[in-house]
Amino acid sequence: MTVARTLRSATALVHAGLIAPERLPALERVAARYAVAITPEMAELIDPANADDPIARQFLPHEAELTQTAVETGDPIGDLTHSPVEGVVHRYPDRVLLKPTHTCAVYCRFCFRREMVGPEGLANLTPAQLDAAFAYVASHPEIWEVIVTGGDPLVLSPRRLRDLAERLAAIDHVKVVRFHTRVPVVDPGAVTDEMVAALKVPGKAVYVALHANHARELTPAARAACARIIDAGIPMLSQTVLLRGVNDDPDALGGLMRAFVETRIRPYYLHHGDHAPGTGHLRTTVDEGRALMRAIRGRFSGLCQPTYVLDIPDGHGKVPIGPDYLASAGEVEDPNGGAHAYPPVAKP
Ligand SMILES: *Cc1c(COP(=O)(O)O)cnc(C)c1O
Ligand code: SF4
């Protein structure tokens, strides 16, 4: 199947043969509540014959999204309470999120900011809001790192990215700039040499963190887009959301981590699913996540081990949630589950 442009409605998905026509009324209700967008690259990866396709689960709207449980909220990790000015989230003293745009190239069905992202309303910060955001960063010398996120900042034009880079370069106390994006995977053609040049912030260490959740997303085109970034001297990290039916078995998770490492991307975080509205069907339990992490520890290279983190609801911050191998005093567990005394007991 060839898809010419990004699919942005339930009707377009029916026409592309990705969802059955009888599901249209319910999925139009889903699309009215949460934005839909699937790029040609991702649409073409979906196997319509497989009802449980891991790419489809991430991007195709589903009836289960209409079910919101009592613990799910539109601001699951408390961004709003830590936002001193529009477009800035300042939760940890030494780093801020800067969100220049609310739009993304795709809309993920599990997005923790799903009530805040989408094509509606003001897509980008206004010039005045951007001025206020930079004024905030400039007036807080404790800010060592700026994490440019959104939305997805790589949907911005190279000209806008260059403008951001120049303004960040002018702030002495900012030493590190990190871009969080899904674009190299979902729209690899957008990662042009001009865009890569625009990401280089003069005088600062720049990192790009790539969000991907299944090895199949790392297509040859996506790997080539990442290589353009890395060959320009920008190291890359990974971010993955633990998702039921996408990466919640050891082969899928380990395979994804290997795909990152083969692409020279260092696995960074595996995020436990946040309580975003209508995402219960994609969330695992923490016990399942810890069991998965144990399963990949022995079997896959140390380079393939992300840190499993939970963003504590209401903005209390991210913490690693194990598993831990030094659980009880005097004992350590090996990768196969065997228990050993530690420190070692003296042999007679
Ligand atoms: C996740 C997050 C960060 C980045 O956290 P790291 O652990 O440094 O990757 C920074 N600020 C906010 C508000 C966040 O949610
Ligand atoms: S790309 Fe990121 S911000 Fe955009 S919908 Fe997906 S998870 Fe949310």
Side-chain angles (χ1 to χ4, degrees):
M1 177 192 42
T2 322
V3 175
R5 59 180 67 83
T6 295
L7 305 169
R8 296 186 181 276
S9 67
T11 318
L13 297 173
V14 171
H15 286 318
L18 292 172
I19 57 179
E22 61 269 21
R23 295 177 65 196
L24 188 57
L27 297 183
E28 276 182 328
R29 285 171 59 212
V30 175
R33 170 118 196 241
Y34 307 111
V36 168
I38 308 178
T39 55
E41 287 78 4
M42 291 300 105
E44 285 167 20
L45 272 189
I46 293 173
D47 173 6
N50 177 4
D52 300 319
D53 182 85
I55 311 298
R57 282 179 76 77
Q58 295 184 60
F59 300 117
L60 293 184
H62 193 281
E63 292 80 353
E65 292 174 59
L66 296 170
T67 305
Q68 178 169 350
T69 62
V71 292
E72 293 177 348
T73 90
D75 183 23
I77 64 167
D79 279 353
L80 296 176
T81 48
H82 291 89
S83 183
V85 296
E86 190 68 31
V88 173
V89 182
H90 196 179
R91 191 189 334 267
Y92 307 102
D94 75 334
R95 55 210 192 273
V96 290
L97 305 184
L98 172 64
K99 304 190 285 182
T101 179
H102 302 300
T103 54
C104 302
V106 285
Y107 291 106
C108 311
R109 306 326 296 167
F110 49 86
C111 177
F112 69 106
R113 292 205 186 102
R114 60 190 329 209
E115 304 266 22
M116 303 170 214
V117 299
E120 264 128 65
L122 268 181
N124 297 340
L125 290 185
T126 64
Q129 286 170 332
L130 208 51
D131 288 348
F134 279 106
Y136 181 86
V137 175
S139 64
H140 286 78
E142 72 275 22
I143 298 174
W144 171 82
E145 179 181 23
V146 174
I147 300 164
V148 189
T149 176
D152 193 319
L154 269 65
V155 302
L156 298 174
S157 66
R159 185 186 59 79
R160 274 183 187 272
L161 288 169
R162 206 158 43 237
D163 175 63
L164 288 179
E166 279 163 15
R167 298 175 76 163
L168 289 168
I171 305 173
D172 275 348
H173 55 263
V174 172
K175 306 296 185 197
V176 176
V177 177
R178 191 195 321 170
F179 291 92
H180 278 198
T181 183
R182 220 156 167 15
V183 165
V185 155
V186 301
D187 186 15
V191 183
T192 58
D193 290 345
E194 193 191 2
M195 172 177 278
V196 173
L199 297 177
K200 297 194 93 174
V201 184
K204 315 294 184 193
V206 177
Y207 291 78
V208 168
L210 176 72
H211 170 187
N213 305 310
H214 193 275
R216 274 172 49 214
E217 293 168 58
L218 277 296
T219 61
R223 292 179 190 222
C226 296
R228 287 194 287 281
I229 295 170
I230 297 164
D231 288 345
I234 301 173
M236 288 184 70
L237 312 165
S238 76
Q239 286 202 301
T240 294
V241 181
L242 178 54
L243 295 169
R244 185 174 295 288
V246 175
N247 53 30
D248 64 338
D249 75 74
D251 289 332
L253 188 63
L256 170 64
M257 296 304 143
R258 279 187 175 168
F260 284 137
V261 172
E262 290 164 13
T263 310
R264 289 180 283 161
I265 299 171
R266 172 68 169 103
Y268 179 48
Y269 278 162
L270 175 67
H271 294 270
H272 187 69
D274 293 311
H275 283 88
T279 62
H281 58 299
L282 293 170
R283 207 175 309 121
T284 69
T285 64
V286 165
D287 282 347
E288 288 168 324
R290 288 163 58 99
L292 272 168
M293 290 295 296
R294 270 185 201 284
I296 67 167
R297 166 59 63 184
R299 280 178 51 200
F300 295 89
S301 160
L303 288 178
C304 294
Q305 309 294 325
T307 303
Y308 180 36
V309 291
L310 172 72
D311 226 311
I312 303 172
D314 300 324
H316 299 291
K318 277 194 248 328
V319 288
I321 50 173
D324 31 51
Y325 294 82
L326 207 51
S328 51
E331 206 172 80
V332 66
E333 194 181 326
D334 69 37
N336 301 318
H340 309 275
Y342 195 87
V345 183
K347 299 201 172 66

